[in-house]
PDB file of all heavy atoms in Angstrom:
ATOM      1  N   ALA A 136      11.429  22.540   4.487  1.00 73.00           N
ATOM      2  CA  ALA A 136      10.175  22.093   3.884  1.00 73.00           C
ATOM      3  C   ALA A 136      10.436  21.399   2.539  1.00 73.00           C
ATOM      4  O   ALA A 136       9.840  20.357   2.224  1.00 73.00           O
ATOM      5  CB  ALA A 136       9.229  23.268   3.704  1.00 73.00           C
ATOM      6  N   VAL A 137      11.317  21.987   1.741  1.00 73.00           N
ATOM      7  CA  VAL A 137      11.641  21.373   0.441  1.00 73.00           C
ATOM      8  C   VAL A 137      12.304  20.012   0.649  1.00 73.00           C
ATOM      9  O   VAL A 137      12.010  19.036  -0.061  1.00 73.00           O
ATOM     10  CB  VAL A 137      12.555  22.307  -0.379  1.00 73.00           C
ATOM     11  CG1 VAL A 137      13.077  21.579  -1.618  1.00 73.00           C
ATOM     12  CG2 VAL A 137      11.800  23.556  -0.792  1.00 73.00           C
ATOM     13  N   ALA A 138      13.218  19.946   1.634  1.00 73.00           N
ATOM     14  CA  ALA A 138      13.847  18.658   1.940  1.00 73.00           C
ATOM     15  C   ALA A 138      12.805  17.650   2.417  1.00 73.00           C
ATOM     16  O   ALA A 138      12.874  16.447   2.105  1.00 73.00           O
ATOM     17  CB  ALA A 138      14.932  18.840   3.000  1.00 73.00           C
ATOM     18  N   GLY A 139      11.817  18.135   3.192  1.00 74.00           N
ATOM     19  CA  GLY A 139      10.740  17.263   3.643  1.00 74.00           C
ATOM     20  C   GLY A 139       9.904  16.743   2.493  1.00 74.00           C
ATOM     21  O   GLY A 139       9.481  15.574   2.484  1.00 74.00           O
ATOM     22  N   LEU A 140       9.649  17.623   1.486  1.00 79.00           N
ATOM     23  CA  LEU A 140       8.920  17.182   0.310  1.00 79.00           C
ATOM     24  C   LEU A 140       9.699  16.084  -0.436  1.00 79.00           C
ATOM     25  O   LEU A 140       9.127  15.075  -0.879  1.00 79.00           O
ATOM     26  CB  LEU A 140       8.667  18.361  -0.627  1.00 79.00           C
ATOM     27  CG  LEU A 140       7.645  19.397  -0.154  1.00 79.00           C
ATOM     28  CD1 LEU A 140       7.625  20.586  -1.103  1.00 79.00           C
ATOM     29  CD2 LEU A 140       6.259  18.769  -0.063  1.00 79.00           C
ATOM     30  N   ASP A 141      11.002  16.320  -0.567  1.00 77.00           N
ATOM     31  CA  ASP A 141      11.840  15.319  -1.253  1.00 77.00           C
ATOM     32  C   ASP A 141      11.853  13.999  -0.498  1.00 77.00           C
ATOM     33  O   ASP A 141      11.742  12.908  -1.100  1.00 77.00           O
ATOM     34  CB  ASP A 141      13.258  15.858  -1.395  1.00 77.00           C
ATOM     35  CG  ASP A 141      14.175  14.862  -2.082  1.00 77.00           C
ATOM     36  OD1 ASP A 141      13.967  14.584  -3.277  1.00 77.00           O
ATOM     37  OD2 ASP A 141      15.101  14.356  -1.407  1.00 77.00           O
ATOM     38  N   LEU A 142      11.955  14.082   0.842  1.00 74.00           N
ATOM     39  CA  LEU A 142      11.963  12.866   1.660  1.00 74.00           C
ATOM     40  C   LEU A 142      10.633  12.135   1.551  1.00 74.00           C
ATOM     41  O   LEU A 142      10.591  10.894   1.420  1.00 74.00           O
ATOM     42  CB  LEU A 142      12.259  13.223   3.116  1.00 74.00           C
ATOM     43  CG  LEU A 142      12.277  12.060   4.115  1.00 74.00           C
ATOM     44  CD1 LEU A 142      13.351  11.049   3.732  1.00 74.00           C
ATOM     45  CD2 LEU A 142      12.509  12.573   5.540  1.00 74.00           C
ATOM     46  N   SER A 143       9.525  12.878   1.580  1.00 80.00           N
ATOM     47  CA  SER A 143       8.208  12.250   1.454  1.00 80.00           C
ATOM     48  C   SER A 143       8.050  11.581   0.097  1.00 80.00           C
ATOM     49  O   SER A 143       7.472  10.487  -0.011  1.00 80.00           O
ATOM     50  CB  SER A 143       7.100  13.298   1.648  1.00 80.00           C
ATOM     51  OG  SER A 143       7.128  13.818   2.959  1.00 80.00           O
ATOM     52  N   SER A 144       8.589  12.231  -0.941  1.00 81.00           N
ATOM     53  CA  SER A 144       8.507  11.644  -2.271  1.00 81.00           C
ATOM     54  C   SER A 144       9.288  10.331  -2.338  1.00 81.00           C
ATOM     55  O   SER A 144       8.815   9.341  -2.914  1.00 81.00           O
ATOM     56  CB  SER A 144       9.070  12.641  -3.290  1.00 81.00           C
ATOM     57  OG  SER A 144       9.086  12.074  -4.579  1.00 81.00           O
ATOM     58  N   ARG A 145      10.463  10.322  -1.740  1.00 80.00           N
ATOM     59  CA  ARG A 145      11.273   9.103  -1.750  1.00 80.00           C
ATOM     60  C   ARG A 145      10.615   8.003  -0.914  1.00 80.00           C
ATOM     61  O   ARG A 145      10.654   6.820  -1.285  1.00 80.00           O
ATOM     62  CB  ARG A 145      12.680   9.394  -1.240  1.00 80.00           C
ATOM     63  CG  ARG A 145      13.443  10.365  -2.115  1.00 80.00           C
ATOM     64  CD  ARG A 145      14.870  10.565  -1.661  1.00 80.00           C
ATOM     65  NE  ARG A 145      15.672   9.360  -1.821  1.00 80.00           N
ATOM     66  CZ  ARG A 145      16.974   9.314  -1.573  1.00 80.00           C
ATOM     67  NH1 ARG A 145      17.616  10.402  -1.160  1.00 80.00           N
ATOM     68  NH2 ARG A 145      17.641   8.185  -1.731  1.00 80.00           N
ATOM     69  N   ARG A 146      10.010   8.391   0.200  1.00 82.00           N
ATOM     70  CA  ARG A 146       9.310   7.404   1.019  1.00 82.00           C
ATOM     71  C   ARG A 146       8.127   6.808   0.264  1.00 82.00           C
ATOM     72  O   ARG A 146       7.858   5.596   0.339  1.00 82.00           O
ATOM     73  CB  ARG A 146       8.842   8.048   2.325  1.00 82.00           C
ATOM     74  CG  ARG A 146       9.957   8.205   3.350  1.00 82.00           C
ATOM     75  CD  ARG A 146       9.472   8.899   4.592  1.00 82.00           C
ATOM     76  NE  ARG A 146      10.474   8.856   5.649  1.00 82.00           N
ATOM     77  CZ  ARG A 146      10.440   9.616   6.750  1.00 82.00           C
ATOM     78  NH1 ARG A 146       9.433  10.470   6.922  1.00 82.00           N
ATOM     79  NH2 ARG A 146      11.395   9.509   7.647  1.00 82.00           N
ATOM     80  N   ALA A 147       7.400   7.659  -0.465  1.00 82.00           N
ATOM     81  CA  ALA A 147       6.268   7.163  -1.237  1.00 82.00           C
ATOM     82  C   ALA A 147       6.748   6.192  -2.321  1.00 82.00           C
ATOM     83  O   ALA A 147       6.101   5.164  -2.594  1.00 82.00           O
ATOM     84  CB  ALA A 147       5.512   8.329  -1.875  1.00 82.00           C
ATOM     85  N   ASP A 148       7.902   6.491  -2.923  1.00 83.00           N
ATOM     86  CA  ASP A 148       8.450   5.595  -3.941  1.00 83.00           C
ATOM     87  C   ASP A 148       8.832   4.245  -3.331  1.00 83.00           C
ATOM     88  O   ASP A 148       8.598   3.191  -3.939  1.00 83.00           O
ATOM     89  CB  ASP A 148       9.676   6.251  -4.574  1.00 83.00           C
ATOM     90  CG  ASP A 148      10.311   5.365  -5.631  1.00 83.00           C
ATOM     91  OD1 ASP A 148       9.659   5.093  -6.645  1.00 83.00           O
ATOM     92  OD2 ASP A 148      11.464   4.931  -5.421  1.00 83.00           O
ATOM     93  N   VAL A 149       9.410   4.258  -2.122  1.00 79.00           N
ATOM     94  CA  VAL A 149       9.785   3.016  -1.453  1.00 79.00           C
ATOM     95  C   VAL A 149       8.555   2.182  -1.119  1.00 79.00           C
ATOM     96  O   VAL A 149       8.534   0.959  -1.310  1.00 79.00           O
ATOM     97  CB  VAL A 149      10.611   3.309  -0.184  1.00 79.00           C
ATOM     98  CG1 VAL A 149      10.744   2.060   0.686  1.00 79.00           C
ATOM     99  CG2 VAL A 149      11.988   3.833  -0.557  1.00 79.00           C
ATOM    100  N   VAL A 150       7.496   2.841  -0.639  1.00 81.00           N
ATOM    101  CA  VAL A 150       6.256   2.132  -0.322  1.00 81.00           C
ATOM    102  C   VAL A 150       5.682   1.498  -1.591  1.00 81.00           C
ATOM    103  O   VAL A 150       5.220   0.345  -1.580  1.00 81.00           O
ATOM    104  CB  VAL A 150       5.238   3.079   0.338  1.00 81.00           C
ATOM    105  CG1 VAL A 150       3.862   2.425   0.406  1.00 81.00           C
ATOM    106  CG2 VAL A 150       5.701   3.469   1.729  1.00 81.00           C
ATOM    107  N   ALA A 151       5.692   2.256  -2.684  1.00 84.00           N
ATOM    108  CA  ALA A 151       5.165   1.733  -3.943  1.00 84.00           C
ATOM    109  C   ALA A 151       5.962   0.500  -4.384  1.00 84.00           C
ATOM    110  O   ALA A 151       5.391  -0.493  -4.861  1.00 84.00           O
ATOM    111  CB  ALA A 151       5.214   2.814  -5.019  1.00 84.00           C
ATOM    112  N   ARG A 152       7.278   0.539  -4.230  1.00 81.00           N
ATOM    113  CA  ARG A 152       8.112  -0.614  -4.590  1.00 81.00           C
ATOM    114  C   ARG A 152       7.796  -1.804  -3.694  1.00 81.00           C
ATOM    115  O   ARG A 152       7.754  -2.956  -4.164  1.00 81.00           O
ATOM    116  CB  ARG A 152       9.590  -0.244  -4.479  1.00 81.00           C
ATOM    117  CG  ARG A 152      10.056   0.712  -5.564  1.00 81.00           C
ATOM    118  CD  ARG A 152      11.451   1.234  -5.285  1.00 81.00           C
ATOM    119  NE  ARG A 152      12.447   0.163  -5.263  1.00 81.00           N
ATOM    120  CZ  ARG A 152      13.714   0.373  -4.898  1.00 81.00           C
ATOM    121  NH1 ARG A 152      14.119   1.580  -4.527  1.00 81.00           N
ATOM    122  NH2 ARG A 152      14.570  -0.636  -4.919  1.00 81.00           N
ATOM    123  N   ASN A 153       7.587  -1.541  -2.416  1.00 74.00           N
ATOM    124  CA  ASN A 153       7.254  -2.636  -1.495  1.00 74.00           C
ATOM    125  C   ASN A 153       5.962  -3.321  -1.892  1.00 74.00           C
ATOM    126  O   ASN A 153       5.875  -4.559  -1.920  1.00 74.00           O
ATOM    127  CB  ASN A 153       7.146  -2.099  -0.062  1.00 74.00           C
ATOM    128  CG  ASN A 153       8.486  -1.766   0.555  1.00 74.00           C
ATOM    129  OD1 ASN A 153       9.531  -2.234   0.088  1.00 74.00           O
ATOM    130  ND2 ASN A 153       8.472  -0.968   1.600  1.00 74.00           N
ATOM    131  N   VAL A 154       4.952  -2.527  -2.207  1.00 84.00           N
ATOM    132  CA  VAL A 154       3.649  -3.089  -2.559  1.00 84.00           C
ATOM    133  C   VAL A 154       3.738  -3.843  -3.890  1.00 84.00           C
ATOM    134  O   VAL A 154       3.199  -4.954  -4.035  1.00 84.00           O
ATOM    135  CB  VAL A 154       2.583  -1.986  -2.637  1.00 84.00           C
ATOM    136  CG1 VAL A 154       1.267  -2.536  -3.172  1.00 84.00           C
ATOM    137  CG2 VAL A 154       2.378  -1.364  -1.254  1.00 84.00           C
ATOM    138  N   ALA A 155       4.438  -3.267  -4.853  1.00 82.00           N
ATOM    139  CA  ALA A 155       4.527  -3.884  -6.179  1.00 82.00           C
ATOM    140  C   ALA A 155       5.289  -5.207  -6.145  1.00 82.00           C
ATOM    141  O   ALA A 155       5.024  -6.102  -6.962  1.00 82.00           O
ATOM    142  CB  ALA A 155       5.191  -2.921  -7.153  1.00 82.00           C
ATOM    143  N   ASN A 156       6.227  -5.343  -5.225  1.00 79.00           N
ATOM    144  CA  ASN A 156       7.077  -6.542  -5.175  1.00 79.00           C
ATOM    145  C   ASN A 156       6.773  -7.444  -3.984  1.00 79.00           C
ATOM    146  O   ASN A 156       7.591  -8.297  -3.635  1.00 79.00           O
ATOM    147  CB  ASN A 156       8.551  -6.135  -5.120  1.00 79.00           C
ATOM    148  CG  ASN A 156       9.021  -5.444  -6.376  1.00 79.00           C
ATOM    149  OD1 ASN A 156       9.312  -6.087  -7.373  1.00 79.00           O
ATOM    150  ND2 ASN A 156       9.085  -4.111  -6.336  1.00 79.00           N
ATOM    151  N   ALA A 157       5.601  -7.268  -3.383  1.00 80.00           N
ATOM    152  CA  ALA A 157       5.277  -8.013  -2.162  1.00 80.00           C
ATOM    153  C   ALA A 157       5.343  -9.522  -2.359  1.00 80.00           C
ATOM    154  O   ALA A 157       5.719 -10.259  -1.444  1.00 80.00           O
ATOM    155  CB  ALA A 157       3.884  -7.613  -1.663  1.00 80.00           C
ATOM    156  N   ASP A 158       5.015 -10.000  -3.558  1.00 79.00           N
ATOM    157  CA  ASP A 158       4.985 -11.438  -3.808  1.00 79.00           C
ATOM    158  C   ASP A 158       6.199 -11.940  -4.576  1.00 79.00           C
ATOM    159  O   ASP A 158       6.251 -13.113  -4.952  1.00 79.00           O
ATOM    160  CB  ASP A 158       3.715 -11.811  -4.585  1.00 79.00           C
ATOM    161  CG  ASP A 158       2.450 -11.549  -3.784  1.00 79.00           C
ATOM    162  OD1 ASP A 158       2.506 -11.696  -2.553  1.00 79.00           O
ATOM    163  OD2 ASP A 158       1.419 -11.195  -4.392  1.00 79.00           O
ATOM    164  N   ARG A 159       7.160 -11.076  -4.839  1.00 76.00           N
ATOM    165  CA  ARG A 159       8.336 -11.495  -5.612  1.00 76.00           C
ATOM    166  C   ARG A 159       9.315 -12.250  -4.727  1.00 76.00           C
ATOM    167  O   ARG A 159       9.655 -11.803  -3.623  1.00 76.00           O
ATOM    168  CB  ARG A 159       9.032 -10.284  -6.240  1.00 76.00           C
ATOM    169  CG  ARG A 159      10.249 -10.648  -7.088  1.00 76.00           C
ATOM    170  CD  ARG A 159      10.641  -9.489  -7.994  1.00 76.00           C
ATOM    171  NE  ARG A 159      11.121  -8.352  -7.248  1.00 76.00           N
ATOM    172  CZ  ARG A 159      12.389  -8.191  -6.850  1.00 76.00           C
ATOM    173  NH1 ARG A 159      13.278  -9.139  -7.106  1.00 76.00           N
ATOM    174  NH2 ARG A 159      12.756  -7.112  -6.207  1.00 76.00           N
ATOM    175  N   ALA A 160       9.773 -13.402  -5.196  1.00 69.00           N
ATOM    176  CA  ALA A 160      10.706 -14.226  -4.426  1.00 69.00           C
ATOM    177  C   ALA A 160      12.002 -13.463  -4.185  1.00 69.00           C
ATOM    178  O   ALA A 160      12.553 -12.840  -5.093  1.00 69.00           O
ATOM    179  CB  ALA A 160      10.997 -15.526  -5.175  1.00 69.00           C
ATOM    180  N   GLY A 161      12.475 -13.518  -2.951  1.00 69.00           N
ATOM    181  CA  GLY A 161      13.737 -12.896  -2.596  1.00 69.00           C
ATOM    182  C   GLY A 161      13.633 -11.431  -2.226  1.00 69.00           C
ATOM    183  O   GLY A 161      14.623 -10.834  -1.784  1.00 69.00           O
ATOM    184  N   TYR A 162      12.441 -10.834  -2.421  1.00 78.00           N
ATOM    185  CA  TYR A 162      12.300  -9.408  -2.111  1.00 78.00           C
ATOM    186  C   TYR A 162      12.106  -9.208  -0.619  1.00 78.00           C
ATOM    187  O   TYR A 162      11.309  -9.886   0.021  1.00 78.00           O
ATOM    188  CB  TYR A 162      11.114  -8.808  -2.864  1.00 78.00           C
ATOM    189  CG  TYR A 162      10.972  -7.312  -2.687  1.00 78.00           C
ATOM    190  CD1 TYR A 162      11.690  -6.445  -3.492  1.00 78.00           C
ATOM    191  CD2 TYR A 162      10.132  -6.785  -1.714  1.00 78.00           C
ATOM    192  CE1 TYR A 162      11.570  -5.067  -3.338  1.00 78.00           C
ATOM    193  CE2 TYR A 162      10.006  -5.407  -1.552  1.00 78.00           C
ATOM    194  CZ  TYR A 162      10.727  -4.554  -2.367  1.00 78.00           C
ATOM    195  OH  TYR A 162      10.610  -3.196  -2.204  1.00 78.00           O
ATOM    196  N   ALA A 163      12.856  -8.264  -0.059  1.00 75.00           N
ATOM    197  CA  ALA A 163      12.707  -7.890   1.351  1.00 75.00           C
ATOM    198  C   ALA A 163      12.245  -6.445   1.427  1.00 75.00           C
ATOM    199  O   ALA A 163      12.634  -5.601   0.604  1.00 75.00           O
ATOM    200  CB  ALA A 163      14.033  -8.059   2.090  1.00 75.00           C
ATOM    201  N   ARG A 164      11.417  -6.158   2.397  1.00 76.00           N
ATOM    202  CA  ARG A 164      10.837  -4.820   2.532  1.00 76.00           C
ATOM    203  C   ARG A 164      11.928  -3.754   2.648  1.00 76.00           C
ATOM    204  O   ARG A 164      12.925  -3.930   3.332  1.00 76.00           O
ATOM    205  CB  ARG A 164       9.930  -4.780   3.768  1.00 76.00           C
ATOM    206  CG  ARG A 164       9.211  -3.446   3.966  1.00 76.00           C
ATOM    207  CD  ARG A 164       8.160  -3.589   5.048  1.00 76.00           C
ATOM    208  NE  ARG A 164       8.742  -4.028   6.302  1.00 76.00           N
ATOM    209  CZ  ARG A 164       9.239  -3.205   7.230  1.00 76.00           C
ATOM    210  NH1 ARG A 164       9.232  -1.888   7.016  1.00 76.00           N
ATOM    211  NH2 ARG A 164       9.727  -3.673   8.354  1.00 76.00           N
ATOM    212  N   ARG A 165      11.717  -2.624   1.945  1.00 77.00           N
ATOM    213  CA  ARG A 165      12.642  -1.506   1.994  1.00 77.00           C
ATOM    214  C   ARG A 165      12.132  -0.472   2.988  1.00 77.00           C
ATOM    215  O   ARG A 165      10.926  -0.312   3.201  1.00 77.00           O
ATOM    216  CB  ARG A 165      12.786  -0.835   0.627  1.00 77.00           C
ATOM    217  CG  ARG A 165      13.039  -1.781  -0.537  1.00 77.00           C
ATOM    218  CD  ARG A 165      14.420  -2.392  -0.491  1.00 77.00           C
ATOM    219  NE  ARG A 165      14.808  -2.912  -1.797  1.00 77.00           N
ATOM    220  CZ  ARG A 165      14.774  -4.175  -2.150  1.00 77.00           C
ATOM    221  NH1 ARG A 165      14.365  -5.085  -1.269  1.00 77.00           N
ATOM    222  NH2 ARG A 165      15.138  -4.547  -3.354  1.00 77.00           N
ATOM    223  N   SER A 166      13.054   0.230   3.589  1.00 81.00           N
ATOM    224  CA  SER A 166      12.696   1.359   4.451  1.00 81.00           C
ATOM    225  C   SER A 166      13.770   2.431   4.327  1.00 81.00           C
ATOM    226  O   SER A 166      14.912   2.131   3.971  1.00 81.00           O
ATOM    227  CB  SER A 166      12.545   0.919   5.914  1.00 81.00           C
ATOM    228  OG  SER A 166      13.754   0.356   6.391  1.00 81.00           O
ATOM    229  N   ILE A 167      13.382   3.676   4.589  1.00 77.00           N
ATOM    230  CA  ILE A 167      14.310   4.808   4.474  1.00 77.00           C
ATOM    231  C   ILE A 167      14.833   5.166   5.853  1.00 77.00           C
ATOM    232  O   ILE A 167      14.070   5.274   6.818  1.00 77.00           O
ATOM    233  CB  ILE A 167      13.613   6.016   3.818  1.00 77.00           C
ATOM    234  CG1 ILE A 167      13.475   5.766   2.317  1.00 77.00           C
ATOM    235  CG2 ILE A 167      14.374   7.294   4.075  1.00 77.00           C
ATOM    236  CD1 ILE A 167      12.965   6.947   1.539  1.00 77.00           C
ATOM    237  N   ASP A 168      16.128   5.333   5.930  1.00 72.00           N
ATOM    238  CA  ASP A 168      16.787   5.726   7.188  1.00 72.00           C
ATOM    239  C   ASP A 168      17.424   7.093   7.009  1.00 72.00           C
ATOM    240  O   ASP A 168      18.075   7.374   5.992  1.00 72.00           O
ATOM    241  CB  ASP A 168      17.862   4.697   7.576  1.00 72.00           C
ATOM    242  CG  ASP A 168      17.289   3.309   7.785  1.00 72.00           C
ATOM    243  OD1 ASP A 168      16.181   3.215   8.365  1.00 72.00           O
ATOM    244  OD2 ASP A 168      17.925   2.332   7.362  1.00 72.00           O
ATOM    245  N   MET A 169      17.219   7.934   8.016  1.00 68.00           N
ATOM    246  CA  MET A 169      17.804   9.281   8.006  1.00 68.00           C
ATOM    247  C   MET A 169      19.109   9.271   8.779  1.00 68.00           C
ATOM    248  O   MET A 169      19.256   8.587   9.791  1.00 68.00           O
ATOM    249  CB  MET A 169      16.843  10.284   8.660  1.00 68.00           C
ATOM    250  CG  MET A 169      15.664  10.664   7.783  1.00 68.00           C
ATOM    251  SD  MET A 169      16.177  11.658   6.369  1.00 68.00           S
ATOM    252  CE  MET A 169      16.967  13.036   7.210  1.00 68.00           C
ATOM    253  N   GLY A 170      20.068  10.029   8.293  1.00 60.00           N
ATOM    254  CA  GLY A 170      21.328  10.179   8.998  1.00 60.00           C
ATOM    255  C   GLY A 170      21.749  11.629   9.024  1.00 60.00           C
ATOM    256  O   GLY A 170      21.308  12.447   8.210  1.00 60.00           O
ATOM    257  N   GLY A 171      22.573  12.003   9.978  1.00 56.00           N
ATOM    258  CA  GLY A 171      23.041  13.369  10.070  1.00 56.00           C
ATOM    259  C   GLY A 171      22.227  14.203  11.063  1.00 56.00           C
ATOM    260  O   GLY A 171      21.382  13.673  11.801  1.00 56.00           O
ATOM    261  N   PRO A 172      22.436  15.541  11.057  1.00 55.00           N
ATOM    262  CA  PRO A 172      21.786  16.417  12.054  1.00 55.00           C
ATOM    263  C   PRO A 172      20.278  16.464  11.964  1.00 55.00           C
ATOM    264  O   PRO A 172      19.588  16.558  12.967  1.00 55.00           O
ATOM    265  CB  PRO A 172      22.397  17.801  11.743  1.00 55.00           C
ATOM    266  CG  PRO A 172      23.661  17.512  10.993  1.00 55.00           C
ATOM    267  CD  PRO A 172      23.388  16.268  10.211  1.00 55.00           C
ATOM    268  N   GLY A 173      19.707  16.423  10.744  1.00 56.00           N
ATOM    269  CA  GLY A 173      18.261  16.489  10.610  1.00 56.00           C
ATOM    270  C   GLY A 173      17.874  16.822   9.193  1.00 56.00           C
ATOM    271  O   GLY A 173      18.718  17.156   8.348  1.00 56.00           O
ATOM    272  N   VAL A 174      16.571  16.758   8.910  1.00 54.00           N
ATOM    273  CA  VAL A 174      16.068  17.012   7.556  1.00 54.00           C
ATOM    274  C   VAL A 174      16.375  18.441   7.148  1.00 54.00           C
ATOM    275  O   VAL A 174      16.066  19.392   7.882  1.00 54.00           O
ATOM    276  CB  VAL A 174      14.553  16.762   7.490  1.00 54.00           C
ATOM    277  CG1 VAL A 174      14.034  17.089   6.088  1.00 54.00           C
ATOM    278  CG2 VAL A 174      14.238  15.330   7.859  1.00 54.00           C
ATOM    279  N   GLY A 175      16.999  18.590   5.968  1.00 51.00           N
ATOM    280  CA  GLY A 175      17.280  19.905   5.436  1.00 51.00           C
ATOM    281  C   GLY A 175      18.509  20.564   5.997  1.00 51.00           C
ATOM    282  O   GLY A 175      18.881  21.660   5.560  1.00 51.00           O
ATOM    283  N   VAL A 176      19.160  19.939   6.973  1.00 53.00           N
ATOM    284  CA  VAL A 176      20.363  20.499   7.592  1.00 53.00           C
ATOM    285  C   VAL A 176      21.581  19.971   6.838  1.00 53.00           C
ATOM    286  O   VAL A 176      21.638  18.774   6.518  1.00 53.00           O
ATOM    287  CB  VAL A 176      20.446  20.126   9.084  1.00 53.00           C
ATOM    288  CG1 VAL A 176      21.714  20.685   9.713  1.00 53.00           C
ATOM    289  CG2 VAL A 176      19.202  20.625   9.806  1.00 53.00           C
ATOM    290  N   PRO A 177      22.547  20.812   6.527  1.00 54.00           N
ATOM    291  CA  PRO A 177      23.753  20.350   5.840  1.00 54.00           C
ATOM    292  C   PRO A 177      24.408  19.177   6.580  1.00 54.00           C
ATOM    293  O   PRO A 177      24.503  19.184   7.803  1.00 54.00           O
ATOM    294  CB  PRO A 177      24.654  21.587   5.839  1.00 54.00           C
ATOM    295  CG  PRO A 177      23.705  22.744   5.869  1.00 54.00           C
ATOM    296  CD  PRO A 177      22.567  22.291   6.735  1.00 54.00           C
ATOM    297  N   GLY A 178      24.844  18.184   5.824  1.00 49.00           N
ATOM    298  CA  GLY A 178      25.458  16.993   6.434  1.00 49.00           C
ATOM    299  C   GLY A 178      24.489  15.851   6.615  1.00 49.00           C
ATOM    300  O   GLY A 178      24.897  14.731   6.957  1.00 49.00           O
ATOM    301  N   SER A 179      23.203  16.117   6.389  1.00 57.00           N
ATOM    302  CA  SER A 179      22.202  15.059   6.523  1.00 57.00           C
ATOM    303  C   SER A 179      22.182  14.197   5.252  1.00 57.00           C
ATOM    304  O   SER A 179      22.510  14.663   4.168  1.00 57.00           O
ATOM    305  CB  SER A 179      20.807  15.656   6.743  1.00 57.00           C
ATOM    306  OG  SER A 179      20.802  16.450   7.916  1.00 57.00           O
TER     307      SER A 179
END
């Protein structure tokens, strides 16, 4: 759950950056990718 909160916070930050820079030249949309066994699992 704590890892999920952290992930949601980071996703919200990425969305905010996307919206703030939508009209900036050269800016490409950001997205978060998960890797490893799963959220909150060691190695993720």
Side-chain angles (χ1 to χ4, degrees):
V137 171
L140 289 173
D141 179 67
L142 179 61
S143 295
S144 176
R145 297 184 67 175
R146 282 177 171 165
D148 179 64
V149 167
V150 168
R152 289 170 62 187
N153 286 341
V154 173
N156 294 280
D158 295 327
R159 181 163 67 86
Y162 185 85
R164 183 170 58 88
R165 311 290 199 259
S166 59
I167 285 187
D168 300 320
M169 285 291 302
V174 178
V176 179
S179 301

